Amino acid sequence: MAKGKRNKESSAVYKVIEIVGTSTESWADAAKNGVSAASKSLRDLRVAEVDKLDVKIEGNKLIYRAKLKVSFKYHGDD
């Protein structure tokens, strides 16, 4: 790369948050639901990393839960 020129992507800043998606069908659906919900209020989602999978038992019903670490491009206060 030429001196003084920087790749925009290499100088970007990302923020990471934790979210929990849920589903009555599967862990994959739980993760998908979490990312889908996050995408409604966060810009430039980049990576969703599954941190933990568990199941909540409500009566005879299973609720699949996926704890995700989601990263998105940080734009500051603009």
Side-chain angles (χ1 to χ4, degrees):
M1 196 176 307
K3 186 176 180 181
K5 291 189 177 186
R6 300 177 84 176
N7 180 333
K8 273 186 151 184
E9 193 67 24
S10 67
S11 62
V13 174
Y14 299 91
K15 183 168 183 159
V16 178
I17 62 169
E18 290 185 339
I19 63 171
V20 177
T22 63
S23 169
T24 57
E25 301 298 317
S26 69
W27 283 301
D29 280 347
K32 182 178 175 182
N33 292 340
V35 170
S36 178
S39 71
K40 292 177 183 173
S41 62
L42 300 172
R43 293 189 291 165
D44 295 330
L45 292 180
R46 298 302 170 129
V47 175
E49 177 184 336
V50 177
D51 192 41
K52 181 179 179 181
L53 300 173
D54 64 19
V55 176
K56 183 177 180 183
I57 303 166
E58 291 184 355
N60 291 330
K61 195 174 184 182
L62 298 179
I63 307 296
Y64 297 89
R65 302 188 318 174
K67 182 177 178 184
L68 306 166
K69 290 183 180 177
V70 178
S71 67
F72 56 96
K73 193 169 185 179
Y74 180 73
H75 294 281
D77 295 328
D78 58 30

